[in-house]
């Protein structure tokens, strides 16, 4: 066992897991007050659901056996028959690699929750995630990251999940939005619940993304260091580009926009992180943000898709841009796994064609598979809540809970606006004088 690399991948796994509650805060801060609990629960519950799915059949379908280069088999349910102590070629145990990949299976379906908040039945979403993981996610992992996968044999470059994670989840978000339809008119302009939560979630995601990208090197080596650098540069670039665009088109910088731009940079660099130079990451940060900004602010309103939190606009669009630009910017000088240089490094259009084929192929596969799953599933489970439930908010109609701690209007102290005075003992340093007649009341 390589102790340094094993520890690094183990830590990276924890960081990737940390991203899911971070995403819950990010999405929870963006939605309206009456849908906070539903949104955060819909994201966080996936940690339990996806982990069990991964152990029961996900790892086996992803990495055991091979059926036509499309998917594995079920020869190792519950990971039975797999020696978790076996060392992989980079000398980390199979168990640590399985845990690392498990966390990707957790965060990926959580991404598309942002497109359906406030109007989808919780039960429908849970069953959809189970079917989506089996029919879409595990096959994508096998096709791209298994040595026998059809896209891997094609030569697709996807360092940490451009196709497997972001295009997959982003396009799923778009399809779900189309099938669900728009929110009720009165619910579309509700204010964000808590912008500080959005910043907190963004910060957690950025920190966790180092596990996501650098950890995908699966070793303590120069590629991991390069992925750390390119992730940082692309993200910083996207953050500033989105802010400058807001300042020009909106007339003022906005926290919501800065956080969205930050995510676009993280998404855009993901497929290329371990394959491109610092200059390449800078270019990806700019182009991914421009594409997502244009889609979110100009194209989305025209096509009429109600992707509430721009899961497709951010993850789908920036993921597509990053995946294709990898074909232009990948270079052997960064990673020997790049067998043919990208277009900008003298390799011609070969890698560009491969990346376009992989990207378009992923989009087509996800659209068709999602459409079939949704069409069949909503025959047995209602997909959308009723108009009354939607207007009331899913926190109450689906869960019977509120995000805010509220004081009963029948509380005498509350009615008299003397809440601080009644509880002055808790604030002795600030308002203790309210109950002390010997102190001046200035």
């Amino acid at each position: 066992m390589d102790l340094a690399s094993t520890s690094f991948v183990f830590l990276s796994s924890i960081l990737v897991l940390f991203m899911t509650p971070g995403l819950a805060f990010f999405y929870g801060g963006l939605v309206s007050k009456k849908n906070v609990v539903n949104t955060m629960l819909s994201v966080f519950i996936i940690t339990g659901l996806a982990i069990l799915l991964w152990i029961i059949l996900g790892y086996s379908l992803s990495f055991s056996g091979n059926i036509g280069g499309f998917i594995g088999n079920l020869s190792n349910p519950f990971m039975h028959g797999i020696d978790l102590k076996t060392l992989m070629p980079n000398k980390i145990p199979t168990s640590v690699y399985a845990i690392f990949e498990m966390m990707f299976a957790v965060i990926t379906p959580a991404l598309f929750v942002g497109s359906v908040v406030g109007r989808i039945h919780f039960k429908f979403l849970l069953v959809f995630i189970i079917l989506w993981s089996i029919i879409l996610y595990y096959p994508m992992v096998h096709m791209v990251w298994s040595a026998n996968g059809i896209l891997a044999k094609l030569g697709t470059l996807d360092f940490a999940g451009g196709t497997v994670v972001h295009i997959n989840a982003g396009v799923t978000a778009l399809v779900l939005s189309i099938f669900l339809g728009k929110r009720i008119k009165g619910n579309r302009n509700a204010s964000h619940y808590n912008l500080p939560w959005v910043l907190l979630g963004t910060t957690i995601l950025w920190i966790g993304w180092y596990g996501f990208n650098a950890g995908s090197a699966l070793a303590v080596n120069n590629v991991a260091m390069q992925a750390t650098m390119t992730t940082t540069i692309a993200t910083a670039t996207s953050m500033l580009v989105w802010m400058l665009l807001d300042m020009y088109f909106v007339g003022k910088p906005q926290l919501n926009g800065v956080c969205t731009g930050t995510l676009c940079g993280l998404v855009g660099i993901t497929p290329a992180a371990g394959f491109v130079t610092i200059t390449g990451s800078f270019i990806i940060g700019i182009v991914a943000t421009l594409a997502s900004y244009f889609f979110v602010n100009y194209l989305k309103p025209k096509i009429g898709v109600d992707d509430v939190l721009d899961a497709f606009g951010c993850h789908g669009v920036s993921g597509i841009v990053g995946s294709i630009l990898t074909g232009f910017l990948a270079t052997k000088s960064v990673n020997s796994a790049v067998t043919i240089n990208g277009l900008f490094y003298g390799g011609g259009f070969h890698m560009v064609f491969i990346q376009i084929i992989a990207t378009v192929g992923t989009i087509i596969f996800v659209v068709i598979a999602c459409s079939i799953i949704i069409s069949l599933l909503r025959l047995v489970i209602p997909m959308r809540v009723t108009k009354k439930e939607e207007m009331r908010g899913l926190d109450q109609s689906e869960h019977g809970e509120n995000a805010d701690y509220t004081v009963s209007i029948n509380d005498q102290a509350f009615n008299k606006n003397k809440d601080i005075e009644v509880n002055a003992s808790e604030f002795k340093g600030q308002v203790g004088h309210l109950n002390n007649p010997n102190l001046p009341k200035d």
Side-chain angles (χ1 to χ4, degrees), residues 12-65:
S12 296
S13 302
I14 296 172
L15 288 173
V16 177
L17 177 61
F18 190 40
M19 294 170 69
T20 301
L23 186 68
F25 274 102
F26 180 80
Y27 282 165
L30 284 172
V31 297
S32 63
K33 181 178 179 178
K34 59 187 179 181
N35 291 309
V36 178
V37 172
N38 175 260
T39 301
M40 299 186 79
L41 177 59
S42 297
V43 172
F44 189 59
I45 196 64
I46 296 173
T47 54
L49 183 62
I51 285 171
L52 291 182
L53 278 173
W54 180 254
I55 294 299
I56 294 170
L57 47 77
Y59 181 88
S60 186
L61 288 175
S62 299
F63 297 112
S64 296

Side-chain angles (χ1 to χ4, degrees), residues 229-263:
M229 181 65 78
T230 56
T231 298
T232 306
I233 300 302
T235 307
T237 302
S238 291
M239 170 195 286
L240 293 176
V241 169
W242 196 291
M243 184 187 72
L244 292 173
L245 290 169
D246 271 350
M247 292 174 70
Y248 181 81
F249 290 106
V250 181
K252 58 188 71 174
Q254 297 184 315
L255 178 60
N256 181 25
V258 166
C259 291
T260 302
T262 300
L263 283 188

Side-chain angles (χ1 to χ4, degrees), residues 14 24 57 106 123 196 202 270 356 365 437:
I14 296 172
L57 47 77
V106 171
K123 292 179 182 178
T202 304
T270 292
I356 291 175
F365 170 58

